[in-house]
PDB file of all heavy atoms in Angstrom:
ATOM      1  N   ILE A1304     -46.803 110.233 237.200  1.00 81.00           N
ATOM      2  CA  ILE A1304     -48.069 110.948 237.018  1.00 81.00           C
ATOM      3  C   ILE A1304     -47.828 112.424 237.310  1.00 81.00           C
ATOM      4  O   ILE A1304     -47.230 112.774 238.339  1.00 81.00           O
ATOM      5  CB  ILE A1304     -49.160 110.412 237.964  1.00 81.00           C
ATOM      6  CG1 ILE A1304     -49.301 108.897 237.826  1.00 81.00           C
ATOM      7  CG2 ILE A1304     -50.496 111.083 237.682  1.00 81.00           C
ATOM      8  CD1 ILE A1304     -50.237 108.270 238.833  1.00 81.00           C
ATOM      9  N   THR A1305     -48.251 113.281 236.410  1.00 84.00           N
ATOM     10  CA  THR A1305     -48.170 114.723 236.644  1.00 84.00           C
ATOM     11  C   THR A1305     -49.592 115.284 236.723  1.00 84.00           C
ATOM     12  O   THR A1305     -50.507 114.784 236.072  1.00 84.00           O
ATOM     13  CB  THR A1305     -47.416 115.433 235.505  1.00 84.00           C
ATOM     14  OG1 THR A1305     -48.096 115.161 234.262  1.00 84.00           O
ATOM     15  CG2 THR A1305     -45.987 114.944 235.417  1.00 84.00           C
ATOM     16  N   ALA A1306     -49.773 116.296 237.535  1.00 82.00           N
ATOM     17  CA  ALA A1306     -51.094 116.917 237.678  1.00 82.00           C
ATOM     18  C   ALA A1306     -50.934 118.372 238.070  1.00 82.00           C
ATOM     19  O   ALA A1306     -49.967 118.755 238.739  1.00 82.00           O
ATOM     20  CB  ALA A1306     -51.922 116.180 238.732  1.00 82.00           C
ATOM     21  N   SER A1307     -51.891 119.193 237.637  1.00 85.00           N
ATOM     22  CA  SER A1307     -51.890 120.605 238.013  1.00 85.00           C
ATOM     23  C   SER A1307     -53.321 121.099 238.126  1.00 85.00           C
ATOM     24  O   SER A1307     -54.235 120.565 237.485  1.00 85.00           O
ATOM     25  CB  SER A1307     -51.131 121.450 236.979  1.00 85.00           C
ATOM     26  OG  SER A1307     -51.779 121.382 235.717  1.00 85.00           O
ATOM     27  N   LEU A1308     -53.523 122.085 238.964  1.00 83.00           N
ATOM     28  CA  LEU A1308     -54.825 122.730 239.139  1.00 83.00           C
ATOM     29  C   LEU A1308     -54.714 124.158 238.634  1.00 83.00           C
ATOM     30  O   LEU A1308     -53.876 124.933 239.104  1.00 83.00           O
ATOM     31  CB  LEU A1308     -55.238 122.723 240.616  1.00 83.00           C
ATOM     32  CG  LEU A1308     -56.538 123.453 240.951  1.00 83.00           C
ATOM     33  CD1 LEU A1308     -57.736 122.725 240.359  1.00 83.00           C
ATOM     34  CD2 LEU A1308     -56.705 123.611 242.466  1.00 83.00           C
ATOM     35  N   ASN A1309     -55.565 124.506 237.647  1.00 86.00           N
ATOM     36  CA  ASN A1309     -55.479 125.817 237.001  1.00 86.00           C
ATOM     37  C   ASN A1309     -56.731 126.634 237.252  1.00 86.00           C
ATOM     38  O   ASN A1309     -57.861 126.131 237.133  1.00 86.00           O
ATOM     39  CB  ASN A1309     -55.310 125.639 235.482  1.00 86.00           C
ATOM     40  CG  ASN A1309     -54.117 124.774 235.144  1.00 86.00           C
ATOM     41  OD1 ASN A1309     -52.997 125.128 235.456  1.00 86.00           O
ATOM     42  ND2 ASN A1309     -54.356 123.632 234.528  1.00 86.00           N
ATOM     43  N   ASP A1310     -56.538 127.904 237.601  1.00 88.00           N
ATOM     44  CA  ASP A1310     -57.630 128.866 237.690  1.00 88.00           C
ATOM     45  C   ASP A1310     -57.702 129.560 236.333  1.00 88.00           C
ATOM     46  O   ASP A1310     -56.870 130.410 236.007  1.00 88.00           O
ATOM     47  CB  ASP A1310     -57.354 129.878 238.800  1.00 88.00           C
ATOM     48  CG  ASP A1310     -58.492 130.882 238.981  1.00 88.00           C
ATOM     49  OD1 ASP A1310     -59.292 131.069 238.040  1.00 88.00           O
ATOM     50  OD2 ASP A1310     -58.585 131.484 240.063  1.00 88.00           O
ATOM     51  N   THR A1311     -58.674 129.194 235.502  1.00 87.00           N
ATOM     52  CA  THR A1311     -58.715 129.695 234.119  1.00 87.00           C
ATOM     53  C   THR A1311     -59.149 131.148 234.047  1.00 87.00           C
ATOM     54  O   THR A1311     -58.852 131.815 233.058  1.00 87.00           O
ATOM     55  CB  THR A1311     -59.662 128.831 233.271  1.00 87.00           C
ATOM     56  OG1 THR A1311     -60.997 128.923 233.782  1.00 87.00           O
ATOM     57  CG2 THR A1311     -59.213 127.380 233.271  1.00 87.00           C
ATOM     58  N   GLN A1312     -59.849 131.647 235.070  1.00 86.00           N
ATOM     59  CA  GLN A1312     -60.250 133.060 235.051  1.00 86.00           C
ATOM     60  C   GLN A1312     -59.051 133.975 235.258  1.00 86.00           C
ATOM     61  O   GLN A1312     -58.924 135.018 234.616  1.00 86.00           O
ATOM     62  CB  GLN A1312     -61.317 133.315 236.120  1.00 86.00           C
ATOM     63  CG  GLN A1312     -62.693 132.770 235.762  1.00 86.00           C
ATOM     64  CD  GLN A1312     -63.764 133.212 236.743  1.00 86.00           C
ATOM     65  OE1 GLN A1312     -63.529 134.074 237.599  1.00 86.00           O
ATOM     66  NE2 GLN A1312     -64.950 132.630 236.629  1.00 86.00           N
ATOM     67  N   ARG A1313     -58.173 133.573 236.173  1.00 86.00           N
ATOM     68  CA  ARG A1313     -56.999 134.393 236.467  1.00 86.00           C
ATOM     69  C   ARG A1313     -55.778 133.986 235.650  1.00 86.00           C
ATOM     70  O   ARG A1313     -54.757 134.681 235.678  1.00 86.00           O
ATOM     71  CB  ARG A1313     -56.656 134.300 237.959  1.00 86.00           C
ATOM     72  CG  ARG A1313     -57.728 134.892 238.862  1.00 86.00           C
ATOM     73  CD  ARG A1313     -57.276 134.845 240.311  1.00 86.00           C
ATOM     74  NE  ARG A1313     -58.238 135.456 241.203  1.00 86.00           N
ATOM     75  CZ  ARG A1313     -58.101 135.561 242.516  1.00 86.00           C
ATOM     76  NH1 ARG A1313     -56.998 135.079 243.088  1.00 86.00           N
ATOM     77  NH2 ARG A1313     -59.029 136.130 243.251  1.00 86.00           N
ATOM     78  N   GLY A1314     -55.866 132.842 234.984  1.00 86.00           N
ATOM     79  CA  GLY A1314     -54.721 132.355 234.226  1.00 86.00           C
ATOM     80  C   GLY A1314     -53.573 131.930 235.116  1.00 86.00           C
ATOM     81  O   GLY A1314     -52.402 132.122 234.762  1.00 86.00           O
ATOM     82  N   GLU A1315     -53.890 131.360 236.284  1.00 86.00           N
ATOM     83  CA  GLU A1315     -52.862 130.979 237.254  1.00 86.00           C
ATOM     84  C   GLU A1315     -52.875 129.471 237.497  1.00 86.00           C
ATOM     85  O   GLU A1315     -53.937 128.835 237.474  1.00 86.00           O
ATOM     86  CB  GLU A1315     -53.101 131.678 238.598  1.00 86.00           C
ATOM     87  CG  GLU A1315     -53.004 133.187 238.544  1.00 86.00           C
ATOM     88  CD  GLU A1315     -53.319 133.824 239.891  1.00 86.00           C
ATOM     89  OE1 GLU A1315     -53.733 133.087 240.812  1.00 86.00           O
ATOM     90  OE2 GLU A1315     -53.167 135.059 240.001  1.00 86.00           O
ATOM     91  N   ILE A1316     -51.691 128.928 237.749  1.00 86.00           N
ATOM     92  CA  ILE A1316     -51.579 127.540 238.203  1.00 86.00           C
ATOM     93  C   ILE A1316     -51.559 127.575 239.727  1.00 86.00           C
ATOM     94  O   ILE A1316     -50.622 128.119 240.335  1.00 86.00           O
ATOM     95  CB  ILE A1316     -50.311 126.857 237.658  1.00 86.00           C
ATOM     96  CG1 ILE A1316     -50.377 126.776 236.122  1.00 86.00           C
ATOM     97  CG2 ILE A1316     -50.155 125.460 238.250  1.00 86.00           C
ATOM     98  CD1 ILE A1316     -49.126 126.189 235.500  1.00 86.00           C
ATOM     99  N   LEU A1317     -52.584 127.041 240.362  1.00 83.00           N
ATOM    100  CA  LEU A1317     -52.700 127.090 241.813  1.00 83.00           C
ATOM    101  C   LEU A1317     -51.876 125.999 242.490  1.00 83.00           C
ATOM    102  O   LEU A1317     -51.461 126.151 243.643  1.00 83.00           O
ATOM    103  CB  LEU A1317     -54.166 126.938 242.230  1.00 83.00           C
ATOM    104  CG  LEU A1317     -55.150 127.988 241.677  1.00 83.00           C
ATOM    105  CD1 LEU A1317     -56.547 127.711 242.202  1.00 83.00           C
ATOM    106  CD2 LEU A1317     -54.713 129.393 242.056  1.00 83.00           C
ATOM    107  N   TRP A1318     -51.673 124.911 241.770  1.00 82.00           N
ATOM    108  CA  TRP A1318     -50.965 123.775 242.376  1.00 82.00           C
ATOM    109  C   TRP A1318     -50.465 122.865 241.271  1.00 82.00           C
ATOM    110  O   TRP A1318     -51.127 122.688 240.256  1.00 82.00           O
ATOM    111  CB  TRP A1318     -51.930 123.021 243.297  1.00 82.00           C
ATOM    112  CG  TRP A1318     -51.452 121.673 243.721  1.00 82.00           C
ATOM    113  CD1 TRP A1318     -50.598 121.389 244.747  1.00 82.00           C
ATOM    114  CD2 TRP A1318     -51.792 120.413 243.123  1.00 82.00           C
ATOM    115  NE1 TRP A1318     -50.385 120.026 244.828  1.00 82.00           N
ATOM    116  CE2 TRP A1318     -51.115 119.409 243.848  1.00 82.00           C
ATOM    117  CE3 TRP A1318     -52.605 120.042 242.060  1.00 82.00           C
ATOM    118  CZ2 TRP A1318     -51.221 118.059 243.523  1.00 82.00           C
ATOM    119  CZ3 TRP A1318     -52.715 118.702 241.740  1.00 82.00           C
ATOM    120  CH2 TRP A1318     -52.028 117.726 242.477  1.00 82.00           C
ATOM    121  N   THR A1319     -49.277 122.326 241.453  1.00 85.00           N
ATOM    122  CA  THR A1319     -48.752 121.356 240.494  1.00 85.00           C
ATOM    123  C   THR A1319     -47.896 120.340 241.238  1.00 85.00           C
ATOM    124  O   THR A1319     -47.297 120.660 242.282  1.00 85.00           O
ATOM    125  CB  THR A1319     -47.936 122.031 239.382  1.00 85.00           C
ATOM    126  OG1 THR A1319     -47.559 121.048 238.407  1.00 85.00           O
ATOM    127  CG2 THR A1319     -46.689 122.700 239.925  1.00 85.00           C
ATOM    128  N   ASN A1320     -47.862 119.130 240.730  1.00 80.00           N
ATOM    129  CA  ASN A1320     -47.097 118.091 241.420  1.00 80.00           C
ATOM    130  C   ASN A1320     -46.709 116.999 240.435  1.00 80.00           C
ATOM    131  O   ASN A1320     -47.371 116.807 239.412  1.00 80.00           O
ATOM    132  CB  ASN A1320     -47.904 117.493 242.573  1.00 80.00           C
ATOM    133  CG  ASN A1320     -47.012 116.774 243.577  1.00 80.00           C
ATOM    134  OD1 ASN A1320     -45.793 116.754 243.436  1.00 80.00           O
ATOM    135  ND2 ASN A1320     -47.629 116.190 244.599  1.00 80.00           N
ATOM    136  N   LYS A1321     -45.646 116.290 240.771  1.00 82.00           N
ATOM    137  CA  LYS A1321     -45.180 115.145 239.994  1.00 82.00           C
ATOM    138  C   LYS A1321     -45.054 113.969 240.953  1.00 82.00           C
ATOM    139  O   LYS A1321     -44.560 114.127 242.074  1.00 82.00           O
ATOM    140  CB  LYS A1321     -43.836 115.453 239.344  1.00 82.00           C
ATOM    141  CG  LYS A1321     -43.254 114.303 238.534  1.00 82.00           C
ATOM    142  CD  LYS A1321     -41.954 114.723 237.890  1.00 82.00           C
ATOM    143  CE  LYS A1321     -40.868 114.943 238.928  1.00 82.00           C
ATOM    144  NZ  LYS A1321     -39.555 115.258 238.311  1.00 82.00           N
ATOM    145  N   PHE A1322     -45.527 112.819 240.495  1.00 79.00           N
ATOM    146  CA  PHE A1322     -45.545 111.636 241.371  1.00 79.00           C
ATOM    147  C   PHE A1322     -44.860 110.478 240.658  1.00 79.00           C
ATOM    148  O   PHE A1322     -45.248 110.099 239.560  1.00 79.00           O
ATOM    149  CB  PHE A1322     -46.990 111.272 241.695  1.00 79.00           C
ATOM    150  CG  PHE A1322     -47.147 110.067 242.579  1.00 79.00           C
ATOM    151  CD1 PHE A1322     -47.089 110.194 243.956  1.00 79.00           C
ATOM    152  CD2 PHE A1322     -47.355 108.818 242.034  1.00 79.00           C
ATOM    153  CE1 PHE A1322     -47.238 109.091 244.778  1.00 79.00           C
ATOM    154  CE2 PHE A1322     -47.504 107.698 242.841  1.00 79.00           C
ATOM    155  CZ  PHE A1322     -47.451 107.838 244.218  1.00 79.00           C
ATOM    156  N   ASP A1323     -43.805 109.955 241.278  1.00 80.00           N
ATOM    157  CA  ASP A1323     -43.098 108.794 240.741  1.00 80.00           C
ATOM    158  C   ASP A1323     -43.294 107.623 241.685  1.00 80.00           C
ATOM    159  O   ASP A1323     -43.114 107.752 242.905  1.00 80.00           O
ATOM    160  CB  ASP A1323     -41.594 109.085 240.601  1.00 80.00           C
ATOM    161  CG  ASP A1323     -41.323 110.068 239.484  1.00 80.00           C
ATOM    162  OD1 ASP A1323     -41.698 109.770 238.333  1.00 80.00           O
ATOM    163  OD2 ASP A1323     -40.762 111.140 239.760  1.00 80.00           O
ATOM    164  N   GLY A1324     -43.656 106.484 241.133  1.00 76.00           N
ATOM    165  CA  GLY A1324     -43.849 105.312 241.971  1.00 76.00           C
ATOM    166  C   GLY A1324     -44.240 104.114 241.137  1.00 76.00           C
ATOM    167  O   GLY A1324     -44.016 104.076 239.923  1.00 76.00           O
ATOM    168  N   SER A1325     -44.865 103.150 241.784  1.00 77.00           N
ATOM    169  CA  SER A1325     -45.353 101.959 241.111  1.00 77.00           C
ATOM    170  C   SER A1325     -46.871 101.935 241.215  1.00 77.00           C
ATOM    171  O   SER A1325     -47.481 102.782 241.876  1.00 77.00           O
ATOM    172  CB  SER A1325     -44.766 100.698 241.758  1.00 77.00           C
ATOM    173  OG  SER A1325     -45.218 100.585 243.096  1.00 77.00           O
ATOM    174  N   PHE A1326     -47.472 100.951 240.570  1.00 72.00           N
ATOM    175  CA  PHE A1326     -48.929 100.875 240.587  1.00 72.00           C
ATOM    176  C   PHE A1326     -49.458 100.723 242.010  1.00 72.00           C
ATOM    177  O   PHE A1326     -50.544 101.195 242.329  1.00 72.00           O
ATOM    178  CB  PHE A1326     -49.398  99.699 239.727  1.00 72.00           C
ATOM    179  CG  PHE A1326     -50.865  99.730 239.426  1.00 72.00           C
ATOM    180  CD1 PHE A1326     -51.362 100.440 238.347  1.00 72.00           C
ATOM    181  CD2 PHE A1326     -51.776  99.069 240.245  1.00 72.00           C
ATOM    182  CE1 PHE A1326     -52.716 100.493 238.086  1.00 72.00           C
ATOM    183  CE2 PHE A1326     -53.123  99.111 239.991  1.00 72.00           C
ATOM    184  CZ  PHE A1326     -53.596  99.817 238.903  1.00 72.00           C
ATOM    185  N   GLU A1327     -48.672 100.091 242.884  1.00 74.00           N
ATOM    186  CA  GLU A1327     -49.103  99.899 244.266  1.00 74.00           C
ATOM    187  C   GLU A1327     -49.280 101.224 245.005  1.00 74.00           C
ATOM    188  O   GLU A1327     -49.970 101.297 246.024  1.00 74.00           O
ATOM    189  CB  GLU A1327     -48.096  99.030 245.023  1.00 74.00           C
ATOM    190  CG  GLU A1327     -48.152  97.546 244.679  1.00 74.00           C
ATOM    191  CD  GLU A1327     -47.499  97.222 243.346  1.00 74.00           C
ATOM    192  OE1 GLU A1327     -46.909  98.134 242.731  1.00 74.00           O
ATOM    193  OE2 GLU A1327     -47.598  96.058 242.902  1.00 74.00           O
ATOM    194  N   ASP A1328     -48.661 102.303 244.498  1.00 73.00           N
ATOM    195  CA  ASP A1328     -48.722 103.603 245.167  1.00 73.00           C
ATOM    196  C   ASP A1328     -49.857 104.494 244.652  1.00 73.00           C
ATOM    197  O   ASP A1328     -49.977 105.648 245.053  1.00 73.00           O
ATOM    198  CB  ASP A1328     -47.400 104.362 244.966  1.00 73.00           C
ATOM    199  CG  ASP A1328     -46.200 103.559 245.436  1.00 73.00           C
ATOM    200  OD1 ASP A1328     -46.279 103.001 246.541  1.00 73.00           O
ATOM    201  OD2 ASP A1328     -45.203 103.504 244.702  1.00 73.00           O
ATOM    202  N   VAL A1329     -50.700 103.967 243.751  1.00 75.00           N
ATOM    203  CA  VAL A1329     -51.668 104.813 243.068  1.00 75.00           C
ATOM    204  C   VAL A1329     -52.685 105.424 244.021  1.00 75.00           C
ATOM    205  O   VAL A1329     -53.136 106.552 243.831  1.00 75.00           O
ATOM    206  CB  VAL A1329     -52.369 104.019 241.945  1.00 75.00           C
ATOM    207  CG1 VAL A1329     -53.255 102.920 242.517  1.00 75.00           C
ATOM    208  CG2 VAL A1329     -53.189 104.934 241.064  1.00 75.00           C
TER     209      VAL A1329
END
C-alpha cells in the first residue's frame, strides 16, 4: 500500500509512505 499527503495550494508532498505486509497488518 502506498499513500501520500499533498498540500495542493503549495504544491508540496507533506508526507509519503510505503507499507508492505499481509492482510493481517491492515
